[in-house]
Amino acid sequence: MASRKGSQQSRGDGDKYSVLLPTYNERENLPLIVWLLVKYFGESGYEYEIIVIDDGSPDGTLEVAEQLQKIYGEDKILLRPRAKKLGLGTAYIHGIKHARGNYVFIMDADLSHHPKFIPEFIKSPRKQREGGYDLVSGTRYRGDGGVYGWDLRRKLISRGANYVTQVLLRPGASDLTGSFRLYKKEVLESLVERCVSRGYVFQMEMIVRARQLNYTIGEVPISFVDRVYGESKLGGNEIVSFLKGLLTLFATT
């Protein structure tokens, strides 16, 4: 433990990054994503903490998180579990209350989002005097971004949803349904308070509300990789909910 801490060089600029990891049945993925986060934050020298928000996973995810906390320390791994599955938006609200960083990452815990992109995210909002951003969103649809491991059906659903959303809402961002983002803490707090959507529509509404409030949005191309362990949570009900949420946003924004 001492050698790990000694090998990390802090940049000493006062910034700290809180990573919110909502989890549900991610016992196989959680150790890997935490190890990768520790690795890339440690190599880059940024101050960080990882907040695990488990929603009563029946597979023992919380027990795994407790073991990770013993390995990496309570200063790096914060456990803020909830009794049951209550939705992504409320998970972020719950996590923000405990975040000690002035910047907040949101990302999936299923290894779809690789922490190697974190330094690229950080470069954008740090340059405040050069027109830095209030939030930075990972995009699969620009530059070197892409999707790997999806079948044709998933790709068509994602592309179709993104295209329809662009036409109807004109959000000023290329990837609305992605969930790998970096926010200024106060910006995330403001947006979460205003968002009313649940499920996959939530991430889309966050971008739309950011545009309404004139927050600046940057983008970083990322590679999205389908989960290796566990099952995808996208089903017919989620698609219907997405379409309903899209039409609601179109009518109200």
Side-chain angles (χ1 to χ4, degrees):
M1 189 66 191
S3 61
R4 179 181 291 112
K5 290 182 178 179
S7 64
Q8 296 178 1
Q9 299 296 320
S10 173
R11 291 180 178 248
D13 53 13
D15 289 331
K16 184 170 184 175
Y17 298 85
S18 299
V19 181
L20 304 187
L21 281 185
T23 59
Y24 188 78
N25 287 349
E26 299 289 359
R27 63 170 294 131
E28 293 96 346
N29 295 314
L30 190 61
L32 292 172
I33 192 65
V34 167
W35 182 82
L36 287 167
L37 284 166
V38 171
K39 168 182 166 62
Y40 284 98
F41 271 113
E43 290 178 353
S44 59
Y46 297 113
E47 289 294 323
Y48 72 96
E49 64 183 5
I50 303 167
I51 304 175
V52 180
I53 307 145
D54 186 66
D55 274 4
S57 297
D59 73 340
T61 298
L62 181 58
E63 288 74 13
V64 171
E66 290 170 348
Q67 292 301 313
L68 293 170
Q69 188 180 59
K70 292 177 182 178
I71 294 171
Y72 296 108
E74 295 182 5
D75 60 325
K76 295 299 184 188
I77 310 294
L78 283 68
L79 307 183
R80 298 295 182 264
R82 304 189 296 176
K84 60 182 180 179
K85 202 170 184 180
L86 298 171
L88 192 60
T90 59
Y92 291 145
I93 293 172
H94 185 66
I96 292 169
K97 291 178 181 178
H98 303 283
R100 297 170 293 189
N102 53 323
Y103 291 99
V104 179
F105 273 99
I106 64 169
M107 62 189 302
D108 293 345
D110 62 3
L111 300 175
S112 297
H113 302 141
H114 201 297
K116 69 181 179 181
F117 296 107
I118 281 176
E120 292 301 315
F121 277 80
I122 292 175
K123 287 178 183 178
S124 297
R126 285 171 61 86
K127 298 177 181 177
Q128 298 303 317
R129 295 181 181 178
E130 301 172 24
Y133 300 109
D134 293 310
L135 71 95
V136 181
S137 180
T139 177
R140 298 162 288 181
Y141 304 127
R142 278 189 179 169
D144 296 329
V147 176
Y148 301 91
W150 277 1
D151 58 21
L152 182 60
R153 171 181 169 273
R154 285 291 302 274
K155 288 181 179 179
L156 288 175
I157 290 173
S158 178
R159 282 285 189 179
N162 203 61
Y163 175 77
V164 172
T165 302
Q166 295 288 340
V167 171
L168 293 180
L169 302 180
R170 301 188 181 280
S174 64
D175 191 344
L176 270 74
T177 56
S179 54
F180 192 0
R181 296 176 184 166
L182 171 60
Y183 294 85
K184 293 178 181 177
K185 183 180 179 181
E186 65 271 18
V187 170
L188 181 57
E189 289 173 329
S190 174
L191 291 173
V192 167
E193 288 176 359
R194 289 170 169 80
C195 287
V196 297
S197 302
R198 297 175 63 86
Y200 290 90
V201 184
F202 176 81
Q203 300 294 0
M204 181 172 64
E205 185 179 357
M206 292 281 279
I207 293 291
V208 173
R209 299 297 179 194
R211 181 203 62 190
Q212 283 185 322
L213 296 170
N214 294 317
Y215 288 132
T216 54
I217 304 172
E219 293 189 316
V220 171
I222 64 166
S223 298
F224 178 96
V225 181
D226 196 20
R227 60 166 57 240
V228 177
Y229 300 107
E231 296 180 357
S232 171
K233 300 176 179 68
L234 177 65
N237 290 336
E238 286 74 18
I239 295 172
V240 172
S241 296
F242 172 84
L243 293 174
K244 288 181 178 178
L246 173 60
L247 293 175
T248 299
L249 285 177
F250 177 66
T252 59
T253 59

